[in-house]
Amino acid sequence: MVGEGISVGEAWELIRKVLNKIDKNSTNLTHFPHITQNAKWITRVDGDWTGGFWVGLLWLSYKLTDEKRYEKLAYDWLKLLEKRKKDRTPDLGFLFYPSFALGYQITNDAQLKRTALEAANTLTTIFNEKANFIHDEKSTDAGKIGQSAIDFMMNLQLLWWAHEETGEEKYHQIAFKHSTSTIKNLIRKDGSTIHVIDFDLKSGDTIRKKTEQGYSNDSCWSRGQAWAIYGFALAYEATMENSFLETAEKVSAYFVRKLPQDYVPFWDFNDPKIPNTVRDSSAAAIACSGMLTLSEVAKKEEFKETVHKILDSLSKNYWAEKGDGLLKHGCYHKPEKLGVDESLIWGDYYFVEALEKSRRK
């Protein structure tokens, strides 16, 4: 079952269109696609924080078709990404889970596993034990501070996977502590999320909570909400910890309550210009795939209808007939006017991931 409103035939027609675009992009691209400008990919030589999603799309194409050319393409792009495994950035999960870890799951290639584990090891080195957060270091006039974000819940996917593969407790402990600290600091009582927390590196004390990509410090940035949905669904799957399930359900319920009629959210749920503002199709794709995982691991049906309606709407109303990307009407960083009403490589990845998951049901 693919979803209410999408027949099996329509699903395979959509997959065919996905593969046609990926074929075209794989011929034209020499660097990693990031976001589009005027529907054409802006690329990054080193992959920025998003290079793993392009490789992930190639792996999903291989998984959907069994065509070896997609496997070969994925391996070719992996060579360009591998050098990032020592980068001390929270984005290692985004970079190495859809590329090396997913590739290992599909091919059972031990070298891909080794590289993904090296990246996971690097990720453990930027955990602050005072704040219990994986973090970035930021320079301010007063000196260096730590910064964590709701996005980082999704980067934990690499650590949950590493623990499952190796049994090493360090991966589990860090991911668990980060998830618990996120509940305490970045989830509001109503189920909405705060984007960013700055903290003192030595004491772990909170300096401020704010947004960087949302409308305001008190608003709810829809993609951040989607990262929380998926991140806590994965945390529950890895631990069976009730607080993670309760949080996953809470943030999902908030997301669903705030959806407009076509089931694709505006870029920030609290933008006063709604409905005369932009959507973020990538937030819809991430939440859709996350709620599919939540429905499966928690054995609950409450979000399935919404999942099918999101996937239906993305497929029929947000498919980019023109341009390089798969989904139109994504919004990367509205305050900075980056990738506004464009295609976003992560939106494309999670859309195809959700489609592939639904196809298996």
Side-chain angles (χ1 to χ4, degrees), residues 129-312:
E129 294 184 356
K130 294 293 186 179
N132 283 325
F133 274 125
I134 287 169
H135 70 290
D136 270 325
E137 285 192 9
K138 300 290 184 179
S139 296
T140 69
D141 292 340
K144 288 187 177 181
I145 62 170
Q147 186 175 94
S148 196
I150 197 67
D151 320 35
F152 299 174
M153 279 302 302
M154 197 64 207
N155 282 287
L156 300 183
Q157 188 173 28
L158 184 64
L159 297 184
W160 297 127
W161 168 83
H163 176 254
E164 183 180 3
E165 287 296 324
T166 67
E168 291 188 32
E169 282 302 311
K170 65 177 181 180
Y171 303 119
H172 184 279
Q173 289 173 1
I174 288 174
F176 192 99
K177 289 178 179 179
H178 180 98
S179 300
T180 300
S181 197
T182 298
I183 294 174
K184 179 181 176 181
N185 291 281
L186 296 178
I187 310 296
R188 300 187 182 105
K189 289 182 179 180
D190 65 354
S192 65
T193 54
I194 299 165
H195 184 197
V196 169
I197 182 170
D198 292 339
F199 61 88
D200 184 275
L201 285 167
K202 292 182 179 178
S203 67
D205 293 342
T206 299
I207 298 171
R208 68 182 68 85
K209 297 179 183 181
K210 61 181 183 177
T211 192
E212 291 195 347
Q213 290 179 253
Y215 173 75
S216 73
N217 292 341
D218 298 322
S219 71
C220 182
W221 174 51
S222 64
R223 189 161 72 252
Q225 195 75 13
W227 292 133
I229 290 169
Y230 205 158
F232 279 103
L234 292 171
Y236 176 66
E237 181 180 36
T239 65
M240 294 291 114
E241 168 63 38
N242 282 335
S243 65
F244 297 160
L245 175 59
E246 290 167 2
T247 303
E249 292 177 327
K250 186 177 180 180
V251 295
S252 295
Y254 181 93
F255 189 93
V256 172
R257 286 198 306 272
K258 295 291 184 176
L259 286 175
Q261 192 171 7
D262 74 347
Y263 287 86
V264 174
F266 295 98
W267 74 284
D268 189 294
F269 290 120
N270 301 101
D271 186 343
K273 293 184 179 179
I274 290 173
N276 300 311
T277 191
V278 294
R279 309 294 181 111
D280 184 8
S281 57
S282 78
I286 295 160
C288 183
S289 195
M291 283 190 280
L292 274 166
T293 292
L294 180 60
S295 297
E296 182 176 343
V297 300
K299 306 297 188 224
K300 293 189 176 182
E301 302 290 320
E302 59 190 285
F303 298 114
K304 280 192 173 180
E305 182 180 358
T306 299
V307 163
H308 297 323
K309 288 180 177 178
I310 292 173
L311 192 54
D312 190 23

Side-chain angles (χ1 to χ4, degrees), residues 86-98:
K86 297 295 185 182
D87 288 8
R88 287 170 55 82
T89 170
D91 294 327
L92 285 169
F94 289 138
L95 288 167
F96 282 85
Y97 182 82

